[in-house]
Amino acid sequence: ITGLGRTSASLLRLHDFLRRTPLTSPARVAEALNVSAPTVSAALARLTAAGVLKEITGRRWARLYAYQEYLDILAEGTEPFAASGALTL
């Protein structure tokens, strides 16, 4: 992230937010970081292009972004528990 140019401070703030909220929308980012919609859009686009984020809706509006690598780390070790049938509701 630090190698992404002069906007790296904004990107680092966004990255910190994503570690707390790995599934988010542009509106939620703008509100949480108190930045404009164009700033959020540019930051999300840069992190998506860098492979950090993935846009998961495929829509032009009401998009959601996932920090998939982080979600995968959080999910590690949960697959065997669910697959074993140990969790029944």
Side-chain angles (χ1 to χ4, degrees), residues 7-35:
T7 59
S8 63
S10 296
L11 295 175
L12 287 171
R13 285 182 61 215
L14 174 56
H15 184 257
D16 184 56
F17 173 76
L18 291 167
R19 288 187 294 146
R20 291 179 274 120
T21 312
L23 184 62
T24 194
S25 69
R28 191 168 183 189
V29 172
E31 182 179 335
L33 300 182
N34 196 30
V35 295

Side-chain angles (χ1 to χ4, degrees), residues 19 22 67-83:
R19 288 187 294 146
Y67 185 3
Q68 192 60 54
E69 186 174 336
Y70 193 68
L71 289 170
D72 292 344
I73 290 168
L74 293 174
E76 280 182 17
T78 62
E79 298 86 6
F81 183 72

Side-chain angles (χ1 to χ4, degrees), residues 32-49:
L33 300 182
N34 196 30
V35 295
S36 69
T39 299
V40 169
S41 180
L44 291 172
R46 299 231 19 218
L47 290 181
T48 300

